[in-house]
Amino acid sequence: MNAVLSIVCELCLTTVLAPAPMRLPDARPEKAPPFSDVVREHFKTWDQTGRGYLTAEEVHHLVRNLSVTGPAAAVIATLHHYERIHRKNLVRFSEQFLLSVNNENATQETDRKLRLFLRTRYWHYFNQIEQTPRQLFVGDAPSLDGIHQGAVGDCFVIAPIGSAVARNPEEVRRWFHPLPDGGCELVFPQRRVRVPRLSDAEIALTSSAGSQGMWLKVLETGVGLTEVRSGFERSDESGEDAVDHGGSARETYRLLTGRSFGRVDLMKTREPERIGELISQSLREGRLVGTGTDRTRRANHVPTNHDYAIIGYDAERRLVHLWNPWGNRVSTQGMPGIENGFPTEGGKFSVPLNDFVRIFRAVVYETREEARREQS
């Protein structure tokens, strides 16, 4: 074990990561009013300046507005999603244009694609708002089953959360302390953060735990707020916005555990036995372990520039068991491996140790040392 520890690199990469692919509805949900009808009803209220278009700043504030609910919140979440992807002012989204989104006969291909983008995202966000139980936990939650990373590129948040859930779901549940105003205080080993009640638009935009309740959305937002309150992002940003700027999985692990984390660079050591020993011993001792890929594609169906939780290790078969926070499904053609990918269900897949050290960039692992304390 000491030989493994001697190759730890304490430098921590900060990354900006791609969002998970969205599972978009094929048609408008039965209960959802048409996009343009919602705009017609609410635009005058949204357009506080009376200029006839919405700016990115106006949309940003509407996302956090608790009075914007249901279909209206789904439209606002859609506009916020588009602005966040393109990072430009929403001047193009005039009232006239938004009222034409239902028109499928646009003459310009770019307009047709944009209208389709807005309609399908609106349908998706409408479903998120309608189908998310408002209880913090439902049944035996939390569980990895049903988790899907949302439109925010924050696998560096969701993968460590998944690792903690896989280790001890009851411990995760104890982090949550509901408040009378509908908010929640999250109590981590070294930090406390108060998460205000989430708006419908924030519920739409954050990651989903399916029918398990609100816990993942609250936790994801809380992790983002620790960045805002540490001065890493704008002080007026929501937690959901803050994590969209990218970040470090190792910092999330430190927040959740209160422990320092080591890092092994797999590009500098490709000694499978040492890596297998590190993973095996860490998991036996109940310590969290994670991994990630860089921008170089080294295996089919294994997303690049992405963080994963390591949730198990089979020493006899030399298999590393991983979890992708996308919660995705992969069916492979031919023999599983680097060329054909690895069968995946609910984000869970297994990779032979020799392939693991070739595909992944690094391993981060919980140590016994207490992390340096941050101010709350």
Side-chain angles (χ1 to χ4, degrees):
M1 190 67 175
N2 290 336
V4 175
L5 295 178
S6 68
I7 58 176
V8 170
C9 172
E10 286 301 322
L11 294 177
C12 184
L13 295 177
T14 299
T15 53
V16 178
L17 302 143
M22 298 178 70
R23 302 178 179 183
L24 299 173
D26 296 324
R28 177 165 58 90
E30 184 177 349
K31 294 182 179 180
F35 183 102
S36 296
D37 289 4
V38 180
V39 172
R40 185 174 293 106
E41 180 180 353
H42 295 282
F43 190 88
K44 293 295 190 293
T45 303
W46 296 342
D47 180 19
Q48 293 291 309
T49 63
R51 290 175 293 191
Y53 60 83
L54 297 178
T55 66
E57 195 66 23
E58 285 173 323
V59 172
H60 169 78
H61 288 297
L62 288 166
V63 165
R64 302 173 67 183
N65 190 329
L66 293 175
S67 68
V68 179
T69 61
V75 169
I76 292 301
T78 300
L79 300 184
H80 187 60
H81 181 167
Y82 181 87
E83 183 275 330
R84 193 163 55 193
I85 291 173
H86 296 278
R87 301 293 183 192
K88 59 186 177 184
N89 198 293
L90 292 180
V91 172
R92 184 177 183 184
F93 287 127
S94 65
E95 180 179 16
Q96 181 181 5
F97 175 79
L98 294 177
L99 288 173
S100 72
V101 165
N102 292 343
N103 179 9
E104 299 181 13
N105 300 315
T107 56
Q108 297 293 325
E109 182 180 1
T110 53
D111 282 348
R112 287 198 301 271
K113 288 182 177 180
L114 178 54
R115 287 180 170 89
L116 179 62
F117 176 98
L118 296 176
R119 287 197 303 272
T120 54
R121 268 65 179 181
Y122 163 66
W123 299 339
H124 171 77
Y125 288 137
F126 178 88
N127 283 338
Q128 285 286 298
I129 293 167
E130 283 285 301
Q131 296 171 7
T132 299
R134 293 313 194 261
Q135 303 98 303
L136 194 55
F137 295 100
V138 175
D140 60 357
S143 165
L144 292 183
D145 297 333
I147 290 180
H148 296 283
Q149 181 187 328
V152 180
D154 66 343
C155 56
F156 65 94
V157 172
I158 307 302
I161 289 173
S163 185
V165 168
R167 176 178 69 176
N168 190 338
E170 282 301 317
E171 180 183 7
V172 172
R173 196 162 179 150
R174 288 194 291 270
W175 295 340
F176 293 79
H177 299 265
L179 299 171
D181 63 0
C184 185
E185 184 178 45
L186 295 171
V187 181
F188 302 117
Q190 296 183 351
R191 292 286 299 270
R192 291 173 177 261
V193 59
R194 185 187 181 281
V195 180
R197 176 186 162 195
L198 298 186
S199 69
D200 275 8
E202 289 173 313
I203 289 171
L205 289 161
T206 45
S207 297
S208 172
S211 60
Q212 296 182 40
M214 292 279 291
W215 70 269
L216 181 60
K217 296 176 179 295
V218 171
L219 184 51
E220 179 181 29
T221 303
V223 172
L225 288 173
T226 65
E227 293 196 355
V228 172
R229 291 171 186 177
S230 297
F232 297 140
E233 309 297 346
R234 287 171 25 191
S235 61
D236 65 336
E237 283 192 313
S238 66
E240 175 262 334
D241 278 324
V243 294
D244 189 47
H245 293 291
S248 161
R250 194 159 66 155
E251 290 303 317
T252 305
Y253 279 116
R254 286 171 175 164
L255 172 69
L256 301 183
T257 65
R259 300 285 182 181
S260 64
F261 272 71
R263 182 177 183 275
V264 179
D265 188 337
L266 297 181
M267 298 297 101
K268 294 182 178 179
T269 175
R270 294 183 184 270
E271 301 177 63
E273 296 302 332
R274 290 185 175 185
I275 302 305
E277 179 187 353
L278 171 62
I279 294 172
S280 180
Q281 182 169 337
S282 296
L283 293 173
R284 282 199 311 270
E285 295 175 357
R287 293 185 279 127
L288 302 187
V289 195
T291 189
T293 52
D294 58 18
R295 295 182 184 276
T296 303
R297 181 171 297 281
R298 298 187 177 90
N300 280 329
H301 305 296
V302 178
T304 58
N305 210 31
H306 193 51
D307 286 304
Y308 302 78
I310 297 177
I311 58 175
Y313 181 67
D314 185 332
E316 183 176 343
R317 300 170 62 197
R318 291 165 52 91
L319 283 176
V320 182
H321 303 307
L322 300 111
W323 179 72
N324 181 344
W326 290 359
N328 58 326
R329 185 176 189 274
V330 174
S331 297
T332 59
Q333 300 292 326
M335 182 71 68
I338 288 177
E339 183 176 346
N340 297 318
F342 304 92
T344 305
E345 192 65 49
K348 297 176 183 177
F349 63 108
S350 298
V351 177
L353 182 60
N354 286 347
D355 288 345
F356 174 83
V357 299
R358 295 172 59 193
I359 297 168
F360 293 90
R361 179 67 174 83
V363 171
V364 294
Y365 61 94
E366 183 180 354
T367 73
R368 299 180 182 87
E369 297 178 5
E370 188 173 302
R372 180 174 59 85
R373 286 187 174 270
E374 303 282 354
Q375 292 184 347
S376 299

